[in-house]
Amino acid sequence: MVIGVDGGGTSTDALVADLSGTVLGSATGGGSNWEGVGLPAMAAEVARTIDTALAAAGRTRHDVVAAAYGLAGVDWPSDVEPVRQALAEAGLTWPATVTNDSFVALRAGCSQPWGIVSSIGTGAVTAGVNRQGQSYRTMAVGWGEPSGAHSMVREALDAVAAAHHGVAPATTLADQFLAALDVATVDDLFEAVSRRRIRIGAHLAPLLDRAAADGDRVALDLIDSLARRHAAMVVAVAARLHMAADQFELVTSGGVHRAGGRFVDTFAAAVVADCPGAQLAPLHASPAHGAVAMAIDLARTAGYPA
């Protein structure tokens, strides 16, 4: 038996599977990004979720031979050992793979152990693995790459402010933000933002789509620009891994990709222009399925048969 875990800032999914990959039990728990909750709380939440999945499968921890954890917050090589130690202190002592959650999403969406994933939700990350097993992941720190819905909101507000100052075209984005945040004027909006009386965050990204649906040229151009910038990250990862001329599956995950529409169309066209062998593979299953596949790989390496 193996365990596959996908842990993020909001929720944690755990799957119990046999060595053929058949899922026997599953569970969803709370967030497990250690950057937000701390290492002990992260490990405790992962352990609780695993135990619930094991109970659903009618099994115990003693039945498990390997595990794989794809966890948000495992962003640097120096993060792996502290996370591994925290999991061990929570009683999760099986042989295990510990990696960033983007890599389990990649494995979940690819028919082979290689490919590229573009995950665009509240934030964003792009990661890839080539046929030789070499991997690369963007830093996802908000510098040098766009940041999903956060970038959408930031740049939409920048356009509103620029139009207000008279240095950029007028945009109905102003009306969208004023209505959504229940403020009367653009001055009121930015006063409230600067004095932290209202919360500006990724939850406001759909306002950009609404303005675009009404034909607002500024919103349409922003969506196209951001889509091309996210596509450029895929092209850069492919180049670094010497995959640009290859055929590969490009897994797309996260709320921005799932929303579809103009963003996805522009993104796909921009990727294929530089990586003609890229085949979009929208991720519909839980990324925890990719963690199960990694755990099975580990079990096979340890000599356990199918």
Side-chain angles (χ1 to χ4, degrees):
M1 207 100 55
V2 298
I3 298 289
V5 174
D6 171 53
T10 303
S11 64
T12 301
D13 290 335
L15 299 177
V16 178
D18 64 23
L19 291 176
S20 71
T22 300
V23 174
L24 306 174
S26 64
T28 298
S32 56
N33 184 335
W34 74 270
E35 293 173 313
V37 302
L39 286 167
M42 172 278 297
E45 189 60 39
V46 170
R48 277 194 294 270
T49 308
I50 286 173
D51 286 340
T52 304
L54 284 167
R59 305 302 171 92
T60 72
R61 293 186 184 187
H62 295 294
D63 298 312
V64 179
V65 299
Y69 307 97
L71 303 174
V74 181
D75 296 329
W76 307 98
S78 60
D79 295 331
V80 173
E81 192 51 41
V83 168
R84 190 185 294 278
Q85 181 62 34
L87 293 169
E89 290 173 0
L92 307 179
T93 57
W94 317 291
T97 297
V98 175
T99 189
N100 181 265
D101 54 340
S102 61
F103 286 108
V104 298
L106 170 60
R107 188 65 183 273
C110 287
S111 60
Q112 303 293 335
W114 64 84
I116 292 177
V117 60
S118 169
S119 179
I120 308 176
T122 301
V125 64
T126 309
V129 178
N130 64 19
R131 292 172 187 260
Q132 292 73 42
Q134 298 168 314
S135 64
Y136 179 73
R137 173 186 170 274
T138 62
M139 293 188 292
V141 292
W143 296 305
E145 60 183 312
S147 299
H150 276 304
S151 287
M152 290 181 165
V153 173
R154 183 174 60 247
E155 297 200 15
L157 282 171
D158 189 64
V160 170
H164 183 67
H165 292 143
V167 296
T171 171
T172 61
L173 283 166
D175 297 329
Q176 295 286 349
F177 277 96
L178 295 182
L181 296 170
D182 193 27
V183 291
T185 69
V186 170
D187 281 322
D188 292 339
L189 167 63
F190 284 99
E191 178 184 349
V193 170
S194 66
R195 296 295 180 246
R196 300 182 181 180
R197 293 198 296 266
I198 60 176
R199 185 171 70 91
I200 295 298
H203 64 289
L204 295 170
L207 299 181
L208 192 59
D209 289 326
R210 292 177 198 171
D214 290 337
D216 184 82
R217 188 71 256 168
V218 172
L220 291 166
D221 289 346
L222 278 176
I223 289 172
D224 287 344
S225 173
L226 284 162
R228 293 189 188 103
R229 287 165 59 196
H230 278 290
M233 302 311 299
V234 174
V235 174
V237 170
R240 184 177 287 261
L241 294 173
H242 308 290
M243 297 171 65
D246 295 344
Q247 286 195 341
F248 62 86
E249 290 165 302
L250 171 56
V251 179
T252 55
S253 68
V256 174
H257 277 306
R258 284 195 298 272
R262 187 182 184 94
F263 179 95
V264 170
D265 291 342
T266 304
F267 170 86
V271 170
V272 171
D274 287 304
C275 297
Q279 302 166 353
L280 259 66
L283 181 61
H284 300 297
S286 167
H289 287 277
V292 165
M294 290 182 176
I296 291 172
D297 289 345
L298 189 59
R300 294 273 190 276
T301 301
Y304 289 95

